[in-house]
Amino acid sequence: MGIYAIGDVHGQYEALMRLLERLNYDEAADELWFVGDIINRGPDSVRALRCVSRLKGKTKVVIGNHDFTLMVQANGLDKGRIKNTTKEILNAPDAQEMIDAVQSWPLMVQDEARQIVMAHAGVYPYWDLDTAIEMNAQYCRQMRQKDNERREFLQAVYRNGNGEWKKNGKNSVKQCFAVNAFARMRFLKTNAALDFGGKMPPEEAPKALVPWYELHAARQAFRVVFGHWAALGLRLHEKYACIDGGAAWGGELIAFDLAQWRVAATVAIAK
C-alpha cells in the first residue's frame, strides 16, 4: 500500500490522470492526500474537481485558498470577482455535489503515527500541534452548520484581518487567522504576524520577512507537507516538504511518498 500526497492540481485534470497512472494507483490499496487548490489556472477545473470529489477509497483533501474562494462564492458572497473557471463549476449539472465536497474538506489532516500534518499553505509555527488540531476542529464544526449560519461564518473569516494571532482573542478573529494561516501563509513578519503580500522565492524576499517553514523547522517536532507556493517549488527538508510544482504556470504536478519522505513521481504539464 502506498500513501501519496499530490501537489496543487489547479485544473490540470489530464496531468492528474497521467500522474495517477505513473503511480500505478490502486484505489483499493493506496491512499491519496491532496494538498488543495484543485481548481483554477489550468484548463479543466470542472473535471479535476469532479474527479477528486468522487474518488473512493482512502482519500484526504485539505482546502486551498482557490477552493475556499469557490466555496465562498457558491454561498452567495464575494460575487464581484467570479472567475470563468468558477462559473463553469457553478453552472455544471453536478455543481452542488462538488460544492458539498469542498465544504467538507478540512484545513489540515494528520497522520499521527508518522507525525505528519498536511495543510495547503502550512501550519503557523508558533502554535503547538494541539492548537492546530483544535483550530481545524472548530473550523470543521462551523462548516457543518445550517446554510445561513455557515454563510455568516464564511463572511466573518473571508478577509485578511491584521494577521496577528491572539490566543485570548475573540473566536471569530482566531478563526479568521486560522483560515489565513492554513490556506494562505507564506512569510511571517518580524512581529510573527502573517504577511499577505509576498509571493516571491524566499531568496528574493526582504529581510523583514521570514518563511514560516524555517521557524517551524526550528521549533516543532512534527513534519508538514504543504503547497501554495509555486515560486518556492519543490523543497524538501526533514521537517517539511513543499510539493507545489507550479502546475498552475506550466510546471509539473508532483506526487510525494509520505512513508518514504521522497518524491514518488512527477508529470510535466502539457504545453
Side-chain angles (χ1 to χ4, degrees), residues 124-218:
Y124 185 61
Y126 292 99
W127 284 342
D128 57 25
L129 183 55
D130 286 344
T131 300
I133 292 170
E134 175 57 25
M135 296 310 299
N136 177 62
Q138 288 183 25
Y139 169 84
C140 292
R141 286 195 294 270
Q142 294 282 0
M143 292 305 300
R144 289 193 294 267
Q145 294 186 111
K146 294 179 181 179
D147 289 352
N148 287 341
E149 293 170 329
R150 184 177 59 246
R151 190 175 297 112
E152 289 178 5
F153 168 72
L154 291 173
Q155 190 167 26
V157 300
Y158 187 63
R159 62 188 68 209
N160 285 350
N162 64 10
E164 296 180 5
W165 170 248
K166 300 293 185 183
K167 183 177 180 179
N168 298 316
K170 291 183 178 179
N171 199 51
S172 60
V173 176
K174 290 163 66 176
Q175 275 296 325
C176 178
F177 179 92
V179 168
N180 284 323
F182 281 123
R184 297 178 61 202
M185 176 175 62
R186 292 187 182 96
F187 293 101
L188 300 188
K189 300 176 183 178
T190 53
N191 65 349
L194 305 178
D195 170 74
F196 296 111
K199 299 182 180 181
M200 71 288 287
E203 295 79 12
E204 298 176 10
K207 292 183 179 179
L209 297 180
V210 181
W212 72 267
Y213 57 81
E214 291 184 359
L215 296 165
H216 168 84

Side-chain angles (χ1 to χ4, degrees), residues 227-247:
H228 182 58
W229 201 340
L232 180 63
L234 177 65
R235 191 161 301 205
L236 307 182
H237 182 277
E238 63 182 0
K239 293 285 188 68
Y240 57 80
C242 178
I243 57 170
D244 186 348

Side-chain angles (χ1 to χ4, degrees), residues 23-255:
L23 289 172
N24 293 314
Y25 169 60
D26 182 347
E27 186 175 81
D30 296 332
E31 185 170 342
L32 296 180
W33 291 26
F34 286 87
V35 80
D37 274 4
I38 307 302
I39 65 166
N40 290 344
R41 309 291 192 198
D44 206 339
S45 287
V46 173
R47 283 206 293 173
L49 181 55
R50 182 178 291 136
C51 170
V52 173
S53 63
R54 291 182 178 179
L55 277 172
K56 297 177 182 178
K58 301 174 182 178
T59 303
K60 298 178 180 180
V61 190
V62 294
I63 195 165
N65 56 303
H66 285 266
D67 314 315
F68 195 89
T69 298
L70 165 68
M71 180 177 64
V72 166
Q73 293 173 334
N75 277 271
L77 305 170
D78 192 33
K79 293 181 178 180
R81 300 183 297 164
I82 298 181
K83 297 178 181 289
N84 288 334
T85 48
T86 299
K87 292 178 182 177
E88 291 171 1
I89 294 167
L90 297 179
N91 290 331
D94 53 343
Q96 193 58 55
E97 176 188 344
M98 292 188 283
I99 297 303
D100 287 346
V102 174
Q103 291 181 162
S104 74
W105 294 346
L107 293 167
M108 62 162 272
V109 295
Q110 178 189 18
D111 184 321
E112 188 173 356
R114 294 187 174 93
Q115 290 192 299
I116 297 173
V117 169
M118 181 176 71
H120 178 63
V123 178
Y124 185 61
Y126 292 99
W127 284 342
D128 57 25
L129 183 55
D130 286 344
T131 300
I133 292 170
E134 175 57 25
M135 296 310 299
N136 177 62
Q138 288 183 25
Y139 169 84
C140 292
R141 286 195 294 270
Q142 294 282 0
M143 292 305 300
R144 289 193 294 267
Q145 294 186 111
K146 294 179 181 179
D147 289 352
N148 287 341
E149 293 170 329
R150 184 177 59 246
R151 190 175 297 112
E152 289 178 5
F153 168 72
L154 291 173
Q155 190 167 26
V157 300
Y158 187 63
R159 62 188 68 209
N160 285 350
N162 64 10
E164 296 180 5
W165 170 248
K166 300 293 185 183
K167 183 177 180 179
N168 298 316
K170 291 183 178 179
N171 199 51
S172 60
V173 176
K174 290 163 66 176
Q175 275 296 325
C176 178
F177 179 92
V179 168
N180 284 323
F182 281 123
R184 297 178 61 202
M185 176 175 62
R186 292 187 182 96
F187 293 101
L188 300 188
K189 300 176 183 178
T190 53
N191 65 349
L194 305 178
D195 170 74
F196 296 111
K199 299 182 180 181
M200 71 288 287
E203 295 79 12
E204 298 176 10
K207 292 183 179 179
L209 297 180
V210 181
W212 72 267
Y213 57 81
E214 291 184 359
L215 296 165
H216 168 84
R219 297 175 58 88
Q220 305 290 353
F222 62 93
R223 297 180 286 177
V224 180
V225 178
F226 65 102
H228 182 58
W229 201 340
L232 180 63
L234 177 65
R235 191 161 301 205
L236 307 182
H237 182 277
E238 63 182 0
K239 293 285 188 68
Y240 57 80
C242 178
I243 57 170
D244 186 348
W249 310 108
E252 61 183 7
L253 187 57
I254 297 170

Side-chain angles (χ1 to χ4, degrees), residues 250-263:
E252 61 183 7
L253 187 57
I254 297 170
F256 187 74
D257 188 322
L258 292 171
Q260 301 297 323
W261 204 249
R262 61 176 178 80
V263 173

